[in-house]
Amino acid sequence: MKPSEKFNREARDAEKRASRRADEERLKAGEDPAVLQRENSIFPEEFIRNARISNRRQSLGR
């Protein structure tokens, strides 16, 4: 396996700042916050609502 290249934290931080600025501009322009949330989320829209928790009783107590 080839060693991965060193992660450029400064470049990633700059990307995130630019993305946040673009999102802020879209919100100021009247874009629906739910649309931005869906675009920025790593989970599909219905993921949390339809999630099945295999150890729910254990997680929540009995």
Side-chain angles (χ1 to χ4, degrees):
M1 190 157 111
K2 193 169 29 168
S4 61
E5 295 180 26
K6 184 173 177 168
F7 181 74
N8 187 340
R9 188 172 307 274
E10 291 80 24
R12 179 65 182 134
D13 289 344
E15 284 178 27
K16 289 170 85 174
R17 278 192 304 273
S19 178
R20 289 187 185 120
R21 276 193 298 269
D23 287 350
E24 184 178 0
E25 291 300 318
R26 288 174 63 187
L27 289 171
K28 286 180 183 176
E31 182 100 28
D32 183 10
V35 172
L36 287 173
Q37 177 62 40
R38 249 179 285 144
E39 289 176 5
N40 293 331
S41 178
I42 62 171
F43 297 110
E45 189 173 352
E46 299 293 321
F47 179 80
I48 300 298
R49 199 171 321 178
N50 297 331
R52 299 278 183 219
I53 303 169
S54 60
N55 65 341
R56 188 178 71 162
R57 282 188 178 166
Q58 182 183 9
S59 298
L60 299 176
R62 293 182 187 234

